[in-house]
Amino acid sequence: MICRSLCQSSSRSRNARPTWLFGQRPSSTVHGSTQTIASILALAPVTKQQVPLRVEVTGHVRTIRNQKLRSFVELGDGSTVTSLQALLKPEQAHGLGTGTAVKISGTWRPCPPGKEQSHELHAEEVEVVGITEPESYPIQKKHHSAEYLRTIPHLRLRTPFNALLARLRSECDFYVASFFHDRQFVRLQPPVITSSDCEGAGEVFTVSPKEPRDSPHREHKASMGHLEEFFRSPKYLTVSSQLHLEAFIHEHQNVWTLSPTFRAEKSDTPRHLSEFYMLEAEIRTGKLPDVMNLVEDLIRSVVARLKESKVGDELVSVEHITEPNEGEGISSRAEVIQQRWEGLTRRSWSRITYSEAIQLLQAAVDARQVTFCYNPSWHSGLQLEHERFIAAEIGQGSPVFVTDYPQEIKPFYMLPSDPGMRTHPGFGSTVACFDLLLPEMCEVVGGSLREHRLQPLMQSMRRHGLYSATDAEDVPRDEKSPPAVGGAGNLEWYLDLRRYGSVPHGGFGLGFDRLLGYLAGVDNVRDVVPWPRYYGKCDC
């Protein structure tokens, strides 16, 4: 009996399983046991007659005001632009300063009448989580210019407004994903390293491995340009995911992505970055209005949901002064934001052709209504000053679609316009494309129908210098060799999409960071992106 009992006990121990596998998870603090400041401030009011609520919060000290018998600490944790006031005893406040990370627990009690905040946290326990040097902390209780904050991007994230911008990005990402999910779009993750320049402008970053520091020939190889190609041929950081999305559209009806994009453009303007996020979508359609309707519905949906959100409420409540345009005077950020949101939702967006836009610009110049630095010309494209005039004159505060640009100034992959508007008398052919111009911000979205026919696409590639041999499609391909010189080179796979059962399709690319800046009333895109990279600047 003893022996059997031991054996049974041993058998049970061998078959034993942790109890948490069967629904009894061990306690965990992975998600944090403290409340956010936003959730605490949203609590129902507590009267003096009620039992005070016990709360615990972790955050950074924004300001501290020490008095003889008490100290007032303003805390922030990124969940709201509003600070939480905590009442501490002098000994509890010892060692605290601006920037200190603390955990405070205590009771949530009503403030005396006349205070800005209705309730405050009466501290019982104070724990310093992370010390700081208050005197040298770069973010003090004063106004810091956007230019100064750009020099400390790793710390400006702690400011209330930059924390709000981070939550705006998160919310809009969710709104966009919900919009596409409800319409049965498939979200994709296209590659960041590519073999081609989608736009054909040549403004790409080349990808290459870093030679080991102990390599005896490292400096010599670098100086001679003889570093070995990691991928056997030059590769680049993507300038657009469009071509790869087109590969998916032949199997799926509708696809989209929100992914990083890179441009080696030496532009030092408030509108340009070297690394930014592009929202791109492709749909099966042969009609350009279908693509424009999708863009308009998407942006309207995002704005409608933003208006009803807490982030939206905070955006229009932030006390901040901005000058939207020279000559218009000073407006509050709230006024600018509300005007922009209203312009995006109040009526259908105007649509004009590129030829009509040029005629409008030229007529305005002839009537001495406006003076441009660049004379509007059909062959030269629209400059920023032209786009601003069109957005103001035609849009009247709302966006404007400009369609059917000259073929000669657009990329190789665009489908020719419908026969009725394919040519402009005396000039040349146009393609089925559009740019969406927002007031003040100007071009934010670009889209087109894609050339889905093999022979016309090959002809377009020849015109753009991307296809140099008529018989290149018959050249055998060796998996172990670099792409052959001639033919479509690194774009041979793109031609395959047309060789094997192509379908009519179109799509667009939306500058996500520019859109966020427009919605937030921030006109410099470098202040919207947490870690802005632009010509001459990539510090962190």
Side-chain angles (χ1 to χ4, degrees):
M1 294 293 295
I2 297 177
C3 196
R4 186 170 58 182
S5 187
L6 288 173
C7 291
Q8 290 175 342
S9 176
S10 176
S11 176
R12 283 196 298 269
S13 65
R14 286 196 303 266
N15 295 328
R17 295 291 187 272
T19 56
W20 57 267
L21 288 178
F22 301 94
Q24 300 179 16
R25 285 183 55 174
S27 60
S28 171
T29 58
V30 172
H31 303 294
S33 58
T34 58
Q35 301 161 286
T36 66
I37 289 176
S39 66
I40 294 174
L41 294 178
L43 292 172
V46 178
T47 64
K48 292 183 178 179
Q49 290 72 32
Q50 293 176 310
V51 177
L53 296 175
R54 295 195 57 81
V55 298
E56 182 178 88
V57 63
T58 300
H60 283 86
V61 176
R62 289 180 178 172
T63 64
I64 183 168
R65 182 163 46 92
N66 293 313
Q67 296 182 353
K68 185 175 181 179
L69 299 179
R70 68 194 70 183
S71 294
F72 297 91
V73 173
E74 299 287 334
L75 289 179
D77 67 353
S79 64
T80 174
V81 293
T82 305
S83 299
L84 180 147
Q85 179 172 283
L87 183 62
L88 278 66
K89 298 175 182 178
E91 59 271 19
Q92 292 174 321
H94 179 72
L96 301 186
T98 302
T100 304
V102 296
K103 178 188 288 187
I104 301 178
S105 58
T107 54
W108 188 239
R109 298 174 180 267
C111 289
K115 298 292 183 179
E116 182 177 349
Q117 193 166 298
S118 63
H119 289 66
E120 61 189 1
L121 173 58
H122 288 229
E124 295 177 358
E125 296 182 14
V126 179
E127 177 187 349
V128 175
V129 178
I131 62 173
T132 189
E133 297 179 4
E135 295 78 13
S136 62
Y137 184 59
I139 302 175
Q140 298 292 328
K141 187 183 179 181
K142 62 179 182 178
H143 173 73
H144 295 294
S145 67
E147 291 78 7
Y148 168 73
L149 290 175
R150 284 184 215 126
T151 65
I152 50 171
H154 55 299
L155 294 177
R156 73 171 179 174
L157 305 177
R158 302 183 188 183
T159 63
F161 188 67
N162 278 274
L164 175 59
L165 290 179
R167 286 185 284 115
L168 170 67
R169 179 178 294 270
S170 177
E171 286 291 301
C172 289
D173 187 315
F174 173 71
Y175 299 155
V176 168
S178 299
F179 174 88
F180 283 121
H181 183 269
D182 292 343
R183 289 157 180 79
Q184 289 79 50
F185 276 68
V186 178
R187 186 172 189 174
L188 304 169
Q189 286 79 41
V192 171
I193 300 176
T194 68
S195 59
S196 59
D197 174 7
C198 175
E199 298 298 323
E203 298 167 338
V204 294
F205 289 101
T206 302
V207 177
S208 61
K210 183 179 179 180
E211 281 282 304
R213 291 185 176 275
D214 56 357
S215 174
H217 306 293
R218 177 175 179 269
E219 294 184 2
H220 176 69
K221 286 183 179 180
S223 63
M224 299 297 291
H226 292 160
L227 291 176
E228 180 183 358
E229 292 290 354
F230 185 86
F231 296 105
R232 299 180 289 111
S233 61
K235 304 302 173 187
Y236 316 98
L237 293 179
T238 183
V239 298
S240 171
S241 297
Q242 175 203 317
L243 304 188
H244 292 92
L245 289 185
E246 287 190 61
F248 281 100
I249 202 64
H250 291 86
E251 180 65 19
H252 304 282
Q253 296 289 329
N254 305 301
V255 298
W256 77 284
T257 187
L258 178 59
S259 55
T261 306
F262 306 87
R263 302 276 172 93
E265 186 177 1
K266 296 181 180 180
S267 297
D268 188 19
T269 75
R271 302 170 63 248
H272 290 89
L273 291 170
S274 297
E275 178 187 4
F276 53 96
Y277 269 75
M278 184 76 78
L279 193 166
E280 298 180 81
E282 292 287 322
I283 62 174
R284 287 194 186 184
T285 183
K287 300 177 181 179
L288 188 63
D290 290 345
V291 185
M292 292 189 286
N293 292 342
L294 177 63
V295 172
E296 185 168 347
D297 291 345
L298 168 65
I299 296 178
R300 284 179 178 274
S301 172
V302 170
V303 176
R305 297 190 66 173
L306 186 59
K307 282 183 174 181
E308 302 299 322
S309 69
K310 182 177 183 296
V311 169
D313 290 340
E314 289 189 304
L315 279 171
V316 297
S317 68
V318 173
E319 292 297 330
H320 192 92
I321 300 298
T322 183
E323 189 172 1
N325 277 317
E326 186 177 354
E328 291 187 2
I330 302 296
S331 302
S332 72
R333 182 183 297 277
E335 292 174 352
V336 172
I337 291 174
Q338 289 170 335
Q339 290 171 3
R340 291 180 176 180
W341 292 0
E342 177 67 19
L344 290 169
T345 56
R346 67 184 174 195
R347 62 183 177 88
S348 296
W349 301 350
S350 301
R351 303 180 182 189
I352 64 171
T353 66
Y354 175 86
S355 298
E356 292 170 340
I358 293 296
Q359 293 171 359
L360 172 69
L361 295 168
Q362 292 174 339
V365 172
D366 294 341
R368 300 184 183 277
Q369 181 182 354
V370 66
T371 300
F372 295 120
C373 295
Y374 297 92
N375 191 44
S377 167
W378 198 84
H379 293 285
S380 59
L382 298 178
Q383 303 295 324
L384 179 61
E385 57 182 345
H386 303 152
E387 293 179 344
R388 282 178 173 163
F389 182 83
I390 294 169
E393 190 73 11
I394 301 297
Q396 298 292 316
S398 295
V400 178
F401 285 105
V402 180
T403 69
D404 300 281
Y405 282 69
Q407 186 179 57
E408 63 191 62
I409 63 173
K410 286 297 183 178
F412 72 95
Y413 51 74
M414 293 187 177
L415 186 74
S417 300
D418 289 336
M421 55 181 64
R422 187 165 294 176
T423 60
H424 185 277
F427 293 109
S429 300
T430 61
V431 286
C433 68
F434 66 87
D435 282 350
L436 178 64
L437 311 181
L438 299 188
E440 304 167 50
M441 185 65 71
C442 295
E443 192 258 324
V444 173
V445 186
S448 74
L449 296 181
R450 320 308 191 189
E451 179 55 83
H452 59 281
R453 303 162 298 173
L454 177 60
Q455 293 302 324
L457 179 60
M458 292 170 64
Q459 293 172 6
S460 177
M461 293 174 71
R462 287 192 186 99
R463 286 194 301 269
H464 286 82
L466 300 173
Y467 195 86
S468 58
T470 57
D471 59 347
E473 58 191 81
D474 298 324
V475 175
R477 303 178 209 173
D478 184 351
E479 183 179 311
K480 297 182 180 180
S481 302
V485 177
N490 289 325
L491 285 171
E492 196 69 34
W493 69 272
Y494 189 66
L495 289 179
D496 277 350
L497 301 180
R498 274 65 180 173
R499 288 190 181 101
Y500 308 120
S502 183
V503 296
H505 59 282
F508 67 87
L510 181 155
F512 193 60
D513 304 303
R514 286 187 183 179
L515 178 62
L516 294 180
Y518 189 77
L519 297 177
V522 179
D523 294 331
N524 194 323
V525 71
R526 299 172 184 176
D527 299 325
V528 179
V529 176
W531 312 92
R533 278 80 166 91
Y534 48 95
Y535 181 58
K537 198 72 172 178
C538 183
D539 294 340
C540 299

